[in-house]
Amino acid sequence: MVGFPHLSQAQKDTLRLSNEDVLVGEIKYMDRGILYIKTVYSNADIQVKWKEVNTIHSDNLFLITLENGERLEGNLKSISNDSLLIHVIKPTKRTLSHIELDEQENFQINKDQVVLLNEINTSFSSRFNGDISVGFNLAKANKLRQFSVKSNLGYSGDIWGGALDLNMIRSIQSSTAAIERYQGSGSILLFLPKDFFLVGVVSLLSNTQQLLELRVNSILGAGMYLIHTNHSYWTLQVGVNNNNERFQGDLPSENSFEAIIGTDINFYDVGVFNFSGSVAGYRSFVDEGRYRSDARFDVTYKFVDDFFLKLGLAFNYDSQPTEGATDFDYVVQSTLGWKF
């Protein structure tokens, strides 16, 4: 039986690629089909497509996400070009019930079934990742100034995950009122067997075009991964939402409960681009005939190291907007960003 040597920080990770090149260093993570390895001969992490890795050897500890939704902590090494041997550290009852381990708590798996790798060290921060991007437009005509920010912070655990998102835009020009749109959300996912999950979300929206001083959505629901691979994922969620709205001026506030259905999709390896999008639809239990929808779509081009260009579209629709407000609003943003 193939065993694992004792963990040693002095030992290096080794990759052998399909072109027979060998990289030695420290594997940081694998996400969206790209593996990042830190080496002594480059200041920046070297990026390698996961499908181009023939063999891998590492004694470091990783949070490993599999295609079937299982999340576990362990080490891994190749036993062939297509197969990995994973040694599970302190397997949970759920892991033991869904994965057959040998006496040394190892199991074999096809390399393509690994969706995500995150190196784990003693710091809590090692489980976080995120990005931030900014955009600025300036024009002499009407003294236009437009500023936008998009950011995301995510946490990955073996039992649960979470995310914080921010999307804001402010546009000012002479002789007109400022246009402002601020949107943020926080979400927590509790991972279940068979790629199911429970989800809780709180989202905030302030939008001058829809006369929204503040809309607070509080969502509880459940979902599943329809596709979950190292090059794409697609989820479907259903749940209930408490929609609390406060409008500008003297317009009355509203509070209602809604049914919600939503989907998220992400393609990581479309040439040099990444594509992501989400759509959510709401139907009110209180206001008959009221339907709402939120959607966003982003195309990202990563041009050097961890820097990227992003083109994004976001919109909101409300079949029964408050008096004087538009039923539809959208924004298009182009931003320059950095992933960390």
Side-chain angles (χ1 to χ4, degrees):
M1 179 62 65
V2 180
F4 283 80
H6 184 71
L7 296 180
S8 171
Q9 293 300 319
Q11 292 180 330
K12 297 296 184 181
D13 304 331
T14 304
L15 303 178
R16 184 178 295 276
L17 308 184
S18 56
N19 62 2
E20 296 303 320
D21 284 351
V22 176
L23 295 176
V24 178
E26 181 185 4
I27 296 171
K28 307 303 292 184
Y29 63 97
M30 189 277 288
D31 185 20
R32 304 182 180 186
I34 303 295
L35 186 144
Y36 297 78
I37 181 170
K38 182 179 181 180
T39 65
V40 296
Y41 39 85
S42 176
N43 292 328
D45 293 344
I46 294 177
Q47 302 175 27
V48 180
K49 289 187 176 181
W50 182 242
K51 63 185 179 183
E52 295 177 355
V53 176
N54 270 3
T55 62
I56 181 173
H57 181 283
S58 177
D59 296 321
N60 288 329
L61 183 63
F62 293 93
L63 173 64
I64 305 170
T65 303
L66 305 181
E67 195 173 73
N68 63 2
E70 289 301 314
R71 291 164 173 82
L72 46 91
E73 296 181 5
N75 321 109
L76 73 167
K77 63 167 61 175
S78 295
I79 53 178
S80 71
N81 287 354
D82 299 318
S83 299
L84 295 172
L85 184 71
I86 295 179
H87 173 62
V88 182
I89 305 297
K90 297 180 180 179
T92 64
K93 291 182 179 180
R94 195 177 92 177
T95 298
L96 292 172
S97 65
H98 291 88
I99 298 177
E100 185 176 348
L101 305 179
D102 63 23
E103 293 180 355
Q104 296 178 320
E105 298 183 337
N106 300 333
F107 72 100
Q108 297 181 23
I109 194 170
N110 188 285
K111 178 170 70 75
D112 289 338
Q113 292 180 272
V114 177
V115 174
L116 182 70
L117 292 175
N118 274 329
E119 183 190 29
I120 299 174
N121 54 44
T122 56
S123 68
F124 182 66
S125 62
S126 67
R127 294 176 179 261
F128 286 89
N129 63 83
D131 62 66
I132 183 170
S133 60
V134 297
F136 182 72
N137 295 319
L138 179 66
K140 182 179 180 181
N142 296 324
K143 298 181 179 179
L144 172 67
R145 289 169 292 166
Q146 186 179 75
F147 179 71
S148 62
V149 176
K150 302 185 73 172
S151 65
N152 169 267
L153 178 66
Y155 171 84
S156 298
D158 52 350
I159 301 298
W160 66 278
L164 295 173
D165 293 276
L166 174 67
N167 186 4
M168 59 174 286
I169 185 168
R170 177 178 171 85
S171 180
I172 303 174
Q173 53 185 329
S174 60
S175 304
T176 63
I179 297 175
E180 299 176 333
R181 189 180 191 275
Y182 305 114
Q183 188 169 14
S185 67
S187 60
I188 294 179
L189 273 70
L190 178 63
F191 302 121
L192 303 175
K194 305 297 184 182
D195 253 355
F196 287 88
F197 57 85
L198 301 178
V199 60
V201 182
V202 175
S203 66
L204 311 175
L205 174 65
S206 178
N207 189 344
T208 55
Q209 291 296 98
Q210 294 180 304
L211 302 183
L212 275 171
E213 184 173 307
L214 182 64
R215 171 186 286 158
V216 180
N217 283 339
S218 303
I219 301 169
L220 289 176
M224 67 173 297
Y225 285 89
L226 303 176
I227 297 175
H228 197 188
T229 70
N230 52 45
H231 54 78
S232 63
Y233 77 74
W234 179 21
T235 68
L236 179 67
Q237 311 102 40
V238 295
V240 293
N241 173 49
N242 176 242
N243 179 32
N244 186 281
E245 298 170 309
R246 190 169 70 245
F247 298 98
Q248 297 174 0
D250 297 327
L251 294 170
S253 299
E254 294 186 9
N255 187 76
S256 63
F257 283 90
E258 302 170 314
I260 176 176
I261 182 170
T263 187
D264 290 270
I265 193 166
N266 203 319
F267 294 102
Y268 314 138
D269 191 15
V270 186
V272 295
F273 297 95
N274 291 336
F275 171 81
S276 63
S278 65
V279 179
Y282 307 82
R283 183 187 185 281
S284 176
F285 294 128
V286 178
D287 302 316
E288 185 177 354
R290 186 186 185 190
Y291 298 90
R292 299 190 303 109
S293 63
D294 299 324
R296 66 156 187 85
F297 303 96
D298 293 310
V299 177
T300 304
Y301 170 65
K302 192 172 184 180
F303 62 93
V304 59
D305 294 337
D306 292 324
F307 292 91
F308 59 86
L309 295 172
K310 179 178 289 187
L311 179 64
L313 167 67
F315 70 79
N316 304 90
Y317 171 75
D318 190 339
S319 66
Q320 296 180 9
T322 192
E323 182 180 353
T326 179
D327 62 352
F328 180 77
D329 181 52
Y330 72 92
V331 294
V332 178
Q333 297 168 272
S334 57
T335 56
L336 172 66
W338 170 65
K339 180 179 180 180
F340 56 89

